[in-house]
Amino acid sequence: MTRWPLPPPMQQALAQARAAAALGEAPVGAVVVKDGAVIATGHNRTRTDSDPTAHAELVAIREAARVLGSERLTGCELYVTLEPCPMCAGAIAHARIARLHYGAADPKGGAVDHGARVFDHPQCLHRPEVVSGLGEGEAGELLRTFFQERRS
Amino acid sequence: MTRWPLPPPMQQALAQARAAAALGEAPVGAVVVKDGAVIATGHNRTRTDSDPTAHAELVAIREAARVLGSERLTGCELYVTLEPCPMCAGAIAHARIARLHYGAADPKGGAVDHGARVFDHPQCLHRPEVVSGLGEGEAGELLRTFFQERRS
């Protein structure tokens, strides 16, 4: 059997998630792509940096904005292994991300297709195109393993 | 007539908002208070820093977390001149801010008492006590003046 290969940006996001787990951080990774090239990567580092805002998406978005010299990431795509929380969904809107690909759904903490559904309110200034499920198996397995090991 | 004096932390948040306007940034300011002392301040600097996440609240929260050496701002209060957006409300929850004081309501962009109402979903892990209206006159006037001047 040949498995459909994940697109390289989601593979890189999963590698970022594994790097987070190696640091004892919840395994979530993200990359920002512009014109087909990865311009920024990030993973959860809230404990490492003592920064409650250092989720994978915010780390990658801030880095991409620094690289482009602009607060707007117009035309960029974000690949992240887990459904973004309200903070990260808000940042995605502010950054004008064109398309969001997320892996595993997060009914407990997600705010795209669950909970606050940040993009679904008329007040939301920018709605990215949203594609879910890409790499969800691998992304979910990383999270389950991480939290099982911490409980045992 | 004697006007009731605003509590000093909100006066400082308003001073931060004026500092933002002087830089051409939307005039919103924030301070973090712990045990009665201001431990961090911030204002909007998204253009100055080319950082879409650099709202007043995130700047102040990140600074406070750095000062305390912890991703949790347990027992801290946040004073901000404008109702927080979804990104900032999410960060307030992640940081475990005990009490949020905001000045002007923001029916267009706010996500505490409008729009996504981030704290009102069962998925929200931490809900701060919310006090609104403190300094709303001054905060709203700063914003109106700023946007009127940009339009003219």
Side-chain angles (χ1 to χ4, degrees), chain A residues 10-78:
Chain A
M10 190 56 90
Q11 291 184 29
Q12 272 189 260
L14 287 162
Q16 286 288 320
R18 285 188 285 270
L23 289 172
E25 302 272 1
V28 182
V31 309
V32 176
V33 171
K34 184 173 174 69
D35 300 331
V38 171
I39 60 166
T41 64
H43 61 66
N44 248 353
R45 43 190 313 123
T46 58
R47 291 177 178 209
T48 307
D49 290 356
S50 295
D51 181 353
T53 75
H55 282 196
E57 300 94 314
L58 253 69
V59 173
I61 285 172
R62 298 182 79 221
E63 172 66 9
R66 195 190 60 73
V67 166
L68 297 178
S70 167
E71 60 172 315
R72 300 269 170 99
L73 305 182
T74 312
C76 290
E77 299 182 72
L78 180 76

Side-chain angles (χ1 to χ4, degrees), chain A residues 46-47 50-53 55 58 61-62 65-66 69-71 85-87 90-91 94-95 107-110 114-116 118 121 123, chain B residues 46-47 50-53 55 58 61-62 65-66 69-71 85-87 90-91 94-95 107-110 114-116 118 121 123:
Chain A
T46 58
R47 291 177 178 209
S50 295
D51 181 353
T53 75
H55 282 196
L58 253 69
I61 285 172
R62 298 182 79 221
R66 195 190 60 73
S70 167
E71 60 172 315
C85 74
M87 176 180 75
H94 291 313
K108 283 189 185 171
H114 299 89
V118 167
H121 297 272
Q123 287 94 342
Chain B
T46 58
R47 293 176 176 208
S50 295
D51 180 354
T53 75
H55 282 194
L58 253 69
I61 285 172
R62 297 181 78 220
R66 196 189 61 73
S70 166
E71 59 171 315
C85 75
M87 176 180 75
H94 291 313
K108 283 189 184 170
H114 299 90
V118 166
H121 297 272
Q123 288 94 339

Side-chain angles (χ1 to χ4, degrees), chain B residues 2 9-10 25 28 42 51 59-61 65-66 84 93 96 105 131 135 138:
Chain B
T2 302
M10 190 56 89
E25 302 272 2
V28 182
D51 180 354
V59 173
I61 285 172
R66 196 189 61 73
R96 307 294 195 267
V131 183
E138 293 87 331

Side-chain angles (χ1 to χ4, degrees), chain A residues 72-115:
Chain A
R72 300 269 170 99
L73 305 182
T74 312
C76 290
E77 299 182 72
L78 180 76
Y79 289 76
V80 56
T81 58
L82 185 67
E83 181 183 349
C85 74
M87 176 180 75
C88 293
I92 287 164
H94 291 313
R96 308 294 195 267
I97 294 282
R99 190 181 294 156
L100 162 67
H101 304 259
Y102 75 77
D106 185 3
K108 283 189 185 171
V112 175
D113 293 314
H114 299 89

